[in-house]
Amino acid sequence: MLIADAINYAQQQFIKSDSARLDADVLLCSVLKCERIYLYTYPEKKLSNTSLSSFNKLITLRIKGYPIAHLIQKKEFWSLNLKVTTDTLIPRPETEILVEAALDIVPKEHPLSILELGTGTGAISIAIASDRHLAKITATDIKKAALEVAIANAKSHQLNNITFKIANWFDIKDINTYDLIISNPPYICIDDPHLKKGDIRFEPESALISGKQGLDDLHIIIIGAKDYLNKNGWLLLEHGHQQGKVIRQLLKDNNYSTISTLKDYSNLDRVSIGQWTS
Ligand code: GLN
């Protein structure tokens, strides 16, 4: 079978996807270990039996709903290629808002200390570290398997200003305090119907679900961060689009100041920020 025919075939199989062509291209690129341009430069090239059989396996899994990021074991975030496994959340474009907010606070020329809670693939810390070489970052996760992915990602981007630690939120056996604490914690309600649709079905529940209202972990972080922030340090949190108001209130109730919420690319509340001035 030729490259062009294989892509057309896959595209027809992915009829229910709104990105059928892209999915077909990306999967075939991962089999052929090539860039997308190659598929369009050599549409008449014949696929080997091995490639065809690998491609067919991926097509079958994709039809069953497996996320593209899991099938190719990578995802682009902040223009960085990151390894992804089933032990981690798949980095989302919305989370780039959290990175932008951090970069607005962290100056290029000062060595600020940063703590990231629940790093998963390491996406947030790696994005910050790659733009702020002087930042000293500690990134934690409760899951050893996730930390291994994050460590591999930091290594592949040659970053040595991130220290990775196993920890359950503030159970970090750490006496340091930080200028900035950042997190994209689990924030989905346990009975949210959206958990039964799309990629999210294949991601670890521990990275997604946080109690009845999706607020349990955000609550723990808002309270715990007070003991780990330096004076005038910042807390930056990603949250659900319907949680902006309650998070701002929680920050206020816990004596944070300079509180604000940033919108994502769909104009929905996504990131809230507070400063610890006490
Ligand atoms: N943003 C993800 C979603 O809504 C959830 C990520 C999270 O819980 N931190 O699909």
Side-chain angles (χ1 to χ4, degrees):
M1 194 183 267
L2 308 181
I3 284 184
D5 297 336
I7 291 172
N8 284 336
Y9 167 75
Q11 195 178 350
Q12 284 157 21
Q13 305 302 305
F14 301 153
I15 199 91
K16 286 195 201 137
S17 163
D18 48 18
S19 55
R21 178 71 190 212
L22 179 64
D23 292 1
D25 284 1
V26 169
L27 292 181
L28 189 53
C29 284
S30 100
V31 170
L32 299 177
K33 297 189 179 35
C34 68
E35 299 293 326
R36 243 175 129 196
I37 183 82
Y38 180 90
L39 307 178
Y40 294 94
T41 315
Y42 303 104
E44 313 239 304
K45 203 166 162 111
K46 204 166 168 248
L47 290 177
S48 71
N49 286 341
T50 325
S51 299
L52 198 53
S53 123
S54 307
F55 191 41
N56 271 323
K57 276 187 199 142
L58 293 177
I59 292 173
T60 309
L61 292 170
R62 182 62 187 147
I63 293 168
K64 289 185 181 158
Y66 283 82
I68 293 285
H70 285 169
L71 297 178
I72 66 171
Q73 299 217 318
K74 60 182 182 187
K75 175 81 184 176
E76 189 161 303
F77 179 84
W78 201 257
S79 301
L80 300 162
N81 229 324
L82 297 178
K83 175 179 166 175
V84 172
T85 72
T86 49
D87 290 306
T88 63
L89 197 72
I90 301 168
R92 310 279 204 275
E94 300 92 273
T95 303
E96 295 186 348
I97 307 287
L98 194 58
V99 173
E100 278 169 17
L103 294 183
D104 277 348
I105 293 171
V106 182
K108 273 207 156 105
E109 58 286 354
H110 294 297
L112 291 200
S113 59
I114 299 175
L115 172 65
E116 188 201 355
L117 300 169
T119 192
T121 56
I124 295 168
S125 288
I126 289 169
I128 297 173
S130 62
D131 275 43
R132 295 289 184 270
H133 298 290
L134 294 180
K136 236 178 120 260
I137 305 178
T138 301
T140 68
D141 204 285
I142 192 170
K143 250 179 153 178
K144 187 163 175 269
L147 270 190
E148 281 165 5
V149 174
I151 290 167
N153 279 327
K155 204 168 166 198
S156 74
H157 292 285
Q158 281 138 23
L159 296 168
N160 48 22
N161 52 340
I162 312 174
T163 306
F164 292 96
K165 281 190 185 168
I166 290 252
N168 182 13
W169 301 139
F170 290 100
D171 185 13
I172 33 183
K173 297 175 191 67
D174 189 348
I175 45 152
N176 293 328
T177 53
Y178 299 87
D179 300 311
L180 188 147
I181 297 180
I182 190 164
S183 185
N184 171 20
Y187 54 69
I188 299 180
C189 313
I190 195 154
D191 52 6
D192 188 329
H194 140 243
L195 289 166
K196 299 205 166 62
K197 293 182 202 145
D199 284 6
I200 208 165
R201 290 169 297 163
F202 298 87
E203 294 178 276
E205 284 191 354
S206 58
L208 296 166
I209 300 173
S210 190
K212 272 207 167 105
Q213 293 166 318
L215 292 168
D216 291 5
D217 293 292
L218 283 158
H219 211 149
I220 292 171
I221 294 172
I222 288 172
I223 293 171
K226 299 193 280 184
D227 290 331
Y228 284 91
L229 280 170
N230 290 332
K231 187 168 164 57
N232 295 327
W234 292 89
L235 176 62
L236 280 70
L237 298 168
E238 180 172 328
H239 52 71
H241 64 85
Q242 70 293 58
Q243 293 169 335
K245 197 169 165 208
V246 56
I247 294 300
R248 285 193 300 278
Q249 189 60 47
L250 270 174
L251 288 167
K252 201 165 164 230
D253 294 346
N254 281 282
N255 300 323
Y256 288 84
S257 40
T258 337
I259 298 165
S260 64
T261 296
L262 306 173
K263 303 229 179 248
D264 65 17
Y265 307 114
S266 313
N267 207 30
L268 299 168
D269 284 358
R270 183 61 61 189
V271 166
S272 289
I273 294 176
Q275 192 175 25
W276 187 245
T277 49
S278 301

Coordinates of all heavy atoms in Angstrom, one line a residue, residues 75-82 91-93 95-101 103 123-124 126-128 130-131 265:
K75 N 3.6 14.5 23.2 CA 2.7 15.6 23.0 C 3.5 16.9 23.0 O 4.4 17.1 23.8 CB 1.7 15.6 24.2 CG 0.7 16.8 24.2 CD -0.4 16.6 23.3 CE -1.3 17.8 23.2 NZ -2.4 17.6 22.2
E76 N 3.1 17.8 22.2 CA 3.8 19.1 22.1 C 3.2 20.1 23.1 O 1.9 20.1 23.2 CB 3.8 19.7 20.7 CG 4.7 20.9 20.6 CD 5.0 21.2 19.2 OE1 5.6 20.3 18.5 OE2 4.8 22.3 18.7
F77 N 4.0 20.7 23.9 CA 3.5 21.7 24.9 C 4.6 22.8 24.9 O 5.7 22.6 25.0 CB 3.4 21.1 26.3 CG 2.9 22.0 27.3 CD1 1.6 22.3 27.5 CD2 3.9 22.6 28.2 CE1 1.2 23.1 28.5 CE2 3.5 23.5 29.2 CZ 2.1 23.8 29.3
W78 N 4.1 24.1 24.7 CA 5.0 25.2 24.8 C 6.1 25.0 23.7 O 7.3 25.3 24.0 CB 5.6 25.4 26.2 CG 6.1 26.7 26.5 CD1 7.4 27.1 26.5 CD2 5.4 27.9 26.8 NE1 7.6 28.4 26.8 CE2 6.3 29.0 27.0 CE3 4.0 28.2 26.9 CZ2 5.9 30.3 27.3 CZ3 3.7 29.5 27.2 CH2 4.6 30.5 27.4
S79 N 5.8 24.5 22.6 CA 6.7 24.1 21.5 C 7.8 23.2 21.9 O 8.9 23.1 21.3 CB 7.4 25.4 21.0 OG 6.4 26.3 20.5
L80 N 7.6 22.4 23.0 CA 8.5 21.4 23.4 C 7.9 20.0 23.2 O 6.7 19.9 23.5 CB 8.8 21.6 24.9 CG 9.4 22.9 25.4 CD1 9.2 23.1 26.9 CD2 10.9 23.0 25.0
N81 N 8.7 19.1 22.7 CA 8.2 17.8 22.6 C 8.3 17.0 23.9 O 9.4 16.9 24.4 CB 9.1 17.1 21.5 CG 8.2 16.4 20.5 OD1 7.1 15.9 20.8 ND2 8.6 16.5 19.3
L82 N 7.2 16.5 24.4 CA 7.3 15.9 25.7 C 6.8 14.4 25.6 O 5.8 14.1 24.9 CB 6.4 16.6 26.7 CG 6.8 18.0 27.0 CD1 5.7 18.6 28.0 CD2 8.2 18.1 27.6
P91 N -0.6 16.9 28.5 CA -0.6 18.3 28.7 C -1.6 19.0 27.7 O -1.7 18.6 26.6 CB 0.9 18.7 28.3 CG 1.7 17.5 28.5 CD 0.7 16.3 28.2
R92 N -2.3 20.0 28.2 CA -3.3 20.7 27.5 C -2.9 22.1 27.1 O -2.1 22.7 27.9 CB -4.6 20.9 28.3 CG -5.1 19.7 29.0 CD -5.9 18.9 28.1 NE -6.9 18.0 28.8 CZ -6.7 16.8 29.3 NH1 -5.5 16.3 29.3 NH2 -7.7 16.1 29.8
P93 N -3.3 22.6 26.0 CA -3.0 24.0 25.6 C -3.4 25.0 26.6 O -2.6 26.0 26.9 CB -3.8 24.2 24.3 CG -4.3 22.9 23.8 CD -4.2 22.0 25.0
T95 N -3.1 24.9 29.7 CA -2.1 25.0 30.8 C -0.9 26.0 30.4 O -0.2 26.4 31.2 CB -1.6 23.6 31.1 OG1 -2.7 22.8 31.5 CG2 -0.6 23.5 32.2
E96 N -0.9 26.3 29.1 CA 0.1 27.3 28.7 C -0.2 28.6 29.3 O 0.7 29.5 29.5 CB 0.2 27.3 27.2 CG 0.8 26.0 26.6 CD 1.0 26.0 25.1 OE1 0.6 27.0 24.4 OE2 1.6 25.1 24.6
I97 N -1.5 28.9 29.6 CA -1.8 30.1 30.3 C -1.1 30.2 31.7 O -0.7 31.3 32.1 CB -3.4 30.2 30.5 CG1 -4.2 29.9 29.3 CG2 -3.8 31.5 31.2 CD1 -4.2 31.0 28.3
L98 N -1.1 29.1 32.3 CA -0.4 29.0 33.6 C 1.1 29.3 33.5 O 1.7 30.1 34.3 CB -0.6 27.6 34.2 CG -0.3 27.3 35.6 CD1 -1.2 28.2 36.6 CD2 -0.6 25.8 35.9
V99 N 1.7 28.8 32.4 CA 3.1 29.1 32.2 C 3.3 30.5 31.9 O 4.2 31.2 32.4 CB 3.6 28.2 31.0 CG1 5.1 28.6 30.6 CG2 3.6 26.7 31.4
E100 N 2.4 31.1 31.0 CA 2.5 32.5 30.7 C 2.5 33.4 31.9 O 3.2 34.4 32.1 CB 1.4 33.0 29.7 CG 1.7 32.6 28.3 CD 0.5 32.8 27.4 OE1 -0.5 33.5 27.8 OE2 0.5 32.2 26.3
A101 N 1.5 33.0 32.8 CA 1.3 33.8 34.0 C 2.6 33.7 34.9 O 3.0 34.7 35.5 CB 0.1 33.3 34.8
L103 N 5.7 33.2 33.8 CA 6.8 33.9 33.1 C 6.6 35.4 33.3 O 7.6 36.2 33.4 CB 6.9 33.6 31.7 CG 7.2 32.1 31.4 CD1 7.4 31.9 29.8 CD2 8.5 31.7 32.0
A123 N 5.6 19.1 32.3 CA 5.4 20.2 31.3 C 5.5 21.6 31.8 O 6.3 22.4 31.2 CB 3.9 20.0 30.7
I124 N 4.9 21.9 32.9 CA 4.9 23.3 33.4 C 6.4 23.7 33.8 O 6.9 24.7 33.4 CB 3.9 23.5 34.6 CG1 2.5 23.2 34.1 CG2 4.1 24.8 35.3 CD1 1.5 23.0 35.2
I126 N 9.2 22.3 33.0 CA 10.1 22.3 31.9 C 9.9 23.6 31.0 O 10.9 24.2 30.6 CB 9.9 21.0 31.1 CG1 10.5 19.8 31.9 CG2 10.6 21.0 29.7 CD1 10.1 18.5 31.4
A127 N 8.7 24.0 30.8 CA 8.4 25.2 30.0 C 9.0 26.4 30.7 O 9.7 27.2 30.1 CB 6.9 25.4 29.8
I128 N 8.8 26.5 32.0 CA 9.4 27.6 32.8 C 10.9 27.6 32.7 O 11.6 28.6 32.5 CB 8.8 27.7 34.2 CG1 7.3 27.9 34.2 CG2 9.5 28.8 35.0 CD1 6.7 27.8 35.6
S130 N 12.9 26.3 30.7 CA 13.5 26.5 29.4 C 13.5 28.0 29.0 O 14.3 28.4 28.2 CB 12.9 25.6 28.3 OG 11.6 26.0 28.1
D131 N 12.6 28.8 29.6 CA 12.6 30.2 29.4 C 13.3 31.0 30.5 O 13.5 32.2 30.3 CB 11.2 30.7 29.2 CG 10.6 30.5 27.8 OD1 10.9 29.4 27.2 OD2 10.0 31.4 27.3
Y265 N -8.0 30.2 26.2 CA -8.2 30.6 24.8 C -9.7 30.6 24.4 O -10.1 31.1 23.3 CB -7.4 29.7 23.8 CG -5.9 29.6 24.2 CD1 -5.3 28.4 24.7 CD2 -5.1 30.8 24.2 CE1 -4.0 28.4 25.1 CE2 -3.8 30.7 24.5 CZ -3.3 29.6 25.0 OH -1.9 29.5 25.4

